[in-house]
Amino acid sequence: MATTSTTPTKKRSEGLNPYVLLFFILVIAGIATWIVPAGQYASETKVITMVKDGIETKVSSSYTIPGSYERLPEQHGILPGQIFTSIADGLVKAAPIIFLIIFTGGALYLLEETGAIKKVLNNISRSKKLNDFLLITIFFVVFSILGTTGIVVNSIIAFVPIGLLVAKSVGMDDKFGAALVYVAAYAGFNASIMAPMTVGLSQGLADVPLLSGLGFRMVIYIAFVIAGILFLTFYTKICRNQGMVRPEIAADDSEHQTSKISALHIITLSYSAFCLVGFIFGAVEWGWGEKEMMAMFIILGVGVGVLNRMSPNSIAIGFLKGCAGMVGGAFIVGMARAIAIVLSDGMILDTIVNAIISMMDGLPKTLSALSMFGTAAIMHFFISSGSGEAAVLVPIFTPMGDLLEITRQTTVQTVLLGEGVVNCINPTSGILMAVLATAKIPYTKWVKFIWPLVFTWIVISIVALVYAVITNLGPI
């Protein structure tokens, strides 16, 4: 009697969940506090004056004193229980971002319930005038400007669901949707032209004229954005050539082929756009942040419900349902913040900085600048805040650069570009991990998708820094 055997099918790898990855990193950080010698730099507070439209704003920042590193006599090891309480601390400290993400879900759920977004995006997907390249270019130009000026950085998470909806409407995957918004904004932020809390703070700490070197940074910004547009365009072309298109698009297309946008839909979308533009205006003119954006999303959600004649109960239930859908993406910000808390409480962050910087002794001028760039990139995995990293590294790098006759403008750029190029692959970045959790993209799959663009940005940065060293980029 013949027997047949069936080969068990292998389960397709789902990749590493962002929560699992961050928890592993958190545990490793906790263990490291018992192994890595505890140490600390001395710090001082410096007040930087920024002028905008004739109005002076003073920003105080604690910065590291070069050469002041000292080993501490005792280890400050983190106990197992503290690892879990650090998660709670991270959630508390990241509360503004967390609630911003949650409120975004509530407002967009009500907006989706009106059907306005779906009909507009279906019309876009069938439009012959708006091809993939033009769609990508529009998103990159708009969001990169918001990113490079520092207007929309952490709050970019609020726009990710829109990118996912656009991706679905044109038959692309969630990686495309997340990149359409997140990568577009960070293409600008990573090569920031005038973001006050990165460029302004770094130049202030190095005693460089605020916002000087604008032309140099503008060229890098344009190169970063063009690289991002071409990367996503090529990815889209490959997906379409290989038939990697969502199967549900064909069904949606036949269902909505004759649907037209009603006057109410136009009013609803116009009101939503007014709310978003109003926030951007407030961010530019009055320095609005996460708190005001949360309020804006509440206003947006309630207004959309009223315009579409939803009952008060329907508005409340719909808003809460949308909020619930974003909890997974929101809480991950607290998990990422917990890693920084453990490293800081364990007093090993300055030890890591000192060890990496000590490796740079005796290097030639150009290699020293590139080593600063590499150090900033590595340290960004430990200090995911751009302003926090600037406060640690710029005061240390500045005297080193002076001794090597590297201009302070170049020194500032090594830090800005170093932390910038790894933003889109940094697993300790609460923003990136929240984006991936919101889009349900495993971290490993995201890295496999985005690494060619990150590598291109690194090459652009190296070329720019070599040019800066050779030409003694000024004014200082």
Side-chain angles (χ1 to χ4, degrees), residues 90-105 151-159 186 279 288-294 297 323 326-337 384 429-435 438:
L91 289 169
V92 172
K93 292 184 177 180
I97 297 294
I98 291 172
F99 282 104
L100 172 61
I101 298 170
I102 291 174
F103 284 12
T104 300
I151 296 172
V152 174
V153 183
N154 292 344
S155 54
I156 192 61
I157 304 169
F159 298 91
Y186 272 74
F279 168 77
W288 285 2
E290 288 87 358
K291 182 174 65 176
E292 288 79 10
M293 197 170 193
M294 279 186 268
F297 275 115
C323 288
M326 297 293 283
V327 168
F331 282 0
I332 205 166
V333 180
M335 179 75 83
R337 184 68 65 88
S384 60
S429 166
I431 305 303
L432 170 61
M433 301 310 277
V435 168
T438 300

Side-chain angles (χ1 to χ4, degrees), residues 18 21-26 28-29 182 332-341 343 349 377-386 389 419 422-434 436 443 447:
L21 175 62
L22 285 178
F23 185 74
F24 281 149
I25 296 174
L26 182 62
I28 291 171
Y182 171 74
I332 205 166
V333 180
M335 179 75 83
R337 184 68 65 88
I339 296 170
I341 292 172
L343 292 174
L349 192 57
I378 293 170
M379 287 309 305
H380 203 52
F381 290 94
F382 301 97
I383 311 172
S384 60
S385 165
E389 184 170 354
E419 65 98 2
V422 298
N423 266 325
C424 290
I425 58 170
N426 183 7
T428 62
S429 166
I431 305 303
L432 170 61
M433 301 310 277
L436 298 186
Y443 173 77
V447 172

Side-chain angles (χ1 to χ4, degrees), residues 232-441:
L232 208 54
T233 301
F234 287 141
Y235 175 75
T236 306
K237 188 175 181 180
I238 291 171
C239 288
R240 297 206 186 282
N241 288 342
Q242 295 181 354
M244 297 164 58
V245 181
R246 292 179 190 252
E248 65 265 27
I249 296 304
D252 284 351
D253 186 68
S254 61
E255 180 183 347
H256 296 277
Q257 192 166 8
T258 58
S259 66
K260 293 182 180 180
I261 303 173
S262 67
L264 181 57
H265 289 149
I266 294 174
I267 293 172
T268 299
L269 293 174
S270 298
Y271 170 77
S272 302
F274 175 79
C275 290
L276 293 173
V277 172
F279 168 77
I280 292 171
F281 178 81
V284 173
E285 292 297 321
W286 303 308
W288 285 2
E290 288 87 358
K291 182 174 65 176
E292 288 79 10
M293 197 170 193
M294 279 186 268
M296 183 274 294
F297 275 115
I298 296 174
I299 294 169
L300 191 157
V302 173
V304 163
V306 171
L307 286 173
N308 288 267
R309 298 178 182 177
M310 297 180 186
S311 68
N313 281 349
S314 297
I315 294 174
I317 292 171
F319 193 87
L320 291 174
K321 190 172 182 180
C323 288
M326 297 293 283
V327 168
F331 282 0
I332 205 166
V333 180
M335 179 75 83
R337 184 68 65 88
I339 296 170
I341 292 172
V342 166
L343 292 174
S344 179
D345 290 350
M347 306 297 288
I348 64 171
L349 192 57
D350 287 355
T351 300
I352 296 170
V353 174
N354 186 65
I356 295 175
I357 290 175
S358 61
M359 298 178 187
M360 297 164 53
D361 288 341
L363 293 176
K365 187 175 178 179
T366 303
L367 282 180
S368 292
L370 295 181
S371 295
M372 291 178 186
F373 166 72
T375 298
I378 293 170
M379 287 309 305
H380 203 52
F381 290 94
F382 301 97
I383 311 172
S384 60
S385 165
S387 58
E389 184 170 354
V392 171
L393 294 183
V394 172
I396 297 175
F397 283 176
T398 299
M400 289 174 57
D402 291 345
L403 291 173
L404 293 167
E405 297 183 345
I406 297 173
T407 65
R408 293 191 174 190
Q409 190 76 262
T410 302
T411 299
V412 167
Q413 287 303 137
T414 64
V415 177
L416 293 175
L417 291 174
E419 65 98 2
V421 294
V422 298
N423 266 325
C424 290
I425 58 170
N426 183 7
T428 62
S429 166
I431 305 303
L432 170 61
M433 301 310 277
V435 168
L436 298 186
T438 300
K440 295 180 175 59
I441 302 171

Side-chain angles (χ1 to χ4, degrees), residues 122-239:
N122 270 281
N123 287 338
I124 290 174
S125 67
R126 295 195 304 271
S127 173
K128 295 181 180 179
K129 294 180 180 179
L130 192 64
N131 57 29
D132 291 333
F133 176 76
L134 187 56
L135 176 69
I136 293 167
T137 300
I138 291 172
F139 268 81
F140 263 79
V141 169
V142 172
F143 281 101
S144 68
I145 291 173
L146 295 175
T148 199
T149 53
I151 296 172
V152 174
V153 183
N154 292 344
S155 54
I156 192 61
I157 304 169
F159 298 91
V160 170
I162 296 175
L164 299 177
L165 289 172
V166 173
K168 183 178 179 180
S169 73
V170 296
M172 294 300 297
D173 59 17
D174 290 334
K175 294 192 293 293
F176 173 88
L180 202 59
V181 172
Y182 171 74
V183 175
Y186 272 74
F189 181 71
N190 295 346
S192 183
I193 295 176
M194 53 187 296
M197 293 312 296
T198 50
V199 177
L201 177 63
S202 298
Q203 290 184 328
L205 291 172
D207 292 323
V208 173
L210 293 180
L211 303 184
S212 58
L214 188 67
F216 177 76
R217 291 195 302 280
M218 179 73 77
V219 172
I220 301 174
Y221 159 70
I222 293 172
F224 271 38
V225 172
I226 291 175
I229 292 172
L230 293 178
F231 164 75
L232 208 54
T233 301
F234 287 141
Y235 175 75
T236 306
K237 188 175 181 180
I238 291 171
C239 288

